[in-house]
Amino acid sequence: MEQIVTKIEELSGRRRLVYINGEQAFALYSTEVRRYGIAEGKALAQEDLEQLRTELLDKRAVKRAMYLLQAKDYTEKELTEKLQRDFYPQESVEGALAYVRHFGYLSDERFAQMYVQFKGQKKSRKQIELFLQKKGISRELIDQACEEYYGQNEDPELEQILVQMRRKAAGKLPLSYEEKMKLMGSFYRKGFQSDSIKKALDIVVSECEHD
């Protein structure tokens, strides 16, 4: 199929977005557009496009990925979307991901483990799982990270609920039936396990009775 430059769109003062056969293809600086002889209406040979990608875009995508990962951790989905928004070709995106993955700069497994360890004392397991799913982490890696964390802790959710429940119930004890239901409901909506919620409430009520 013939590769025709159908449009060159200005992105910023120096960057240009090149369209091939009516579709967004890649972004270059204006000096690079001239250097590679790219112009609207011009046909480009496939080998010339491959040369442009391997000489310039692949390397630039790797550098961009490394720069982004220096500032914060990304999941593979997030980094992919970030590079795509910068108009790198899919081949360049995949090459950059393979590079940073190979050298350990990108790891969905590590991302999931670190997030669960950091948020395990603050959020319910359900909240953690939903967050990681939105980040594009696979179900297998989410389950693995959660089982590793929750398997090492006897009942981490109970401790979380107790801390929050004591704070919410402070100054309101003893609680009426309606207040107990409202308090329990606030934890149900956050995704905490019902057994842990009931245990925590029993502990809080018992502490009140023995004060």
Side-chain angles (χ1 to χ4, degrees):
M1 182 179 179
E2 197 172 35
Q3 308 295 309
I4 305 295
V5 179
T6 50
K7 183 180 179 181
I8 299 177
E9 177 183 320
E10 182 176 331
L11 290 176
S12 64
R14 298 170 55 206
R15 295 183 77 221
R16 303 290 184 268
L17 177 59
V18 178
Y19 288 73
I20 302 291
N21 296 334
E23 297 184 357
Q24 295 177 350
F26 48 80
L28 296 174
Y29 290 103
S30 56
T31 54
E32 295 165 345
V33 170
R34 292 192 295 271
R35 186 199 316 162
Y36 284 92
I38 297 173
E40 290 184 359
K42 183 175 180 179
L44 298 176
Q46 187 61 42
E47 54 266 30
D48 291 335
L49 288 173
E50 287 296 319
Q51 182 181 3
L52 170 63
R53 182 176 62 79
T54 56
E55 285 183 355
L56 189 65
L57 298 173
D58 287 357
K59 296 175 182 178
R60 187 169 289 167
V62 169
K63 289 182 179 179
R64 178 62 173 161
M66 292 288 290
Y67 174 80
L68 291 169
L69 289 167
Q70 286 177 356
K72 57 170 284 191
D73 276 339
Y74 285 83
T75 64
E76 290 199 18
K77 177 187 176 184
E78 289 178 312
L79 190 58
T80 297
E81 292 174 346
K82 190 75 173 176
L83 293 174
Q84 289 173 339
R85 285 196 295 270
D86 287 336
F87 304 108
Y88 288 103
Q90 189 59 33
E91 296 90 339
S92 299
V93 172
E94 291 174 359
L97 289 174
Y99 181 91
V100 293
R101 193 189 301 121
H102 174 73
F103 287 100
Y105 300 117
L106 179 69
S107 171
D108 279 1
E109 180 179 3
R110 183 178 66 239
F111 187 100
Q113 290 173 340
M114 294 296 292
Y115 186 82
V116 174
Q117 290 175 13
F118 182 69
K119 295 294 186 179
Q121 293 295 324
K122 301 176 182 178
K123 294 181 178 291
S124 70
R125 178 168 177 167
K126 184 176 180 180
Q127 286 176 309
I128 289 172
E129 290 177 346
L130 288 174
F131 176 86
L132 292 175
Q133 286 175 10
K134 290 178 181 178
K135 291 290 185 178
I137 305 292
S138 71
R139 183 73 251 179
E140 180 182 358
L141 290 180
I142 293 173
D143 288 343
Q144 179 180 313
C146 287
E147 290 302 323
E148 182 178 321
Y149 175 79
Y150 290 101
Q152 294 174 351
N153 297 273
E154 185 175 344
D155 194 345
E157 286 201 345
L158 177 60
E159 293 303 318
Q160 296 174 51
I161 298 168
L162 275 172
V163 171
Q164 297 178 41
M165 192 174 284
R166 284 171 177 145
R167 184 172 64 248
K168 288 186 176 184
K172 300 178 182 178
L173 297 169
L175 298 172
S176 67
Y177 175 80
E178 290 75 14
E179 288 172 329
K180 289 178 182 178
M181 292 300 100
K182 183 178 179 181
L183 186 59
M184 291 175 68
S186 68
F187 290 97
Y188 285 132
R189 289 189 292 275
K190 291 180 180 179
F192 287 104
Q193 297 295 315
S194 59
D195 287 347
S196 297
I197 297 171
K198 292 174 183 176
K199 287 180 184 177
L201 183 61
D202 290 341
I203 291 172
V204 171
V205 171
S206 177
E207 288 172 346
C208 171
E209 292 173 349
H210 289 86
D211 280 348

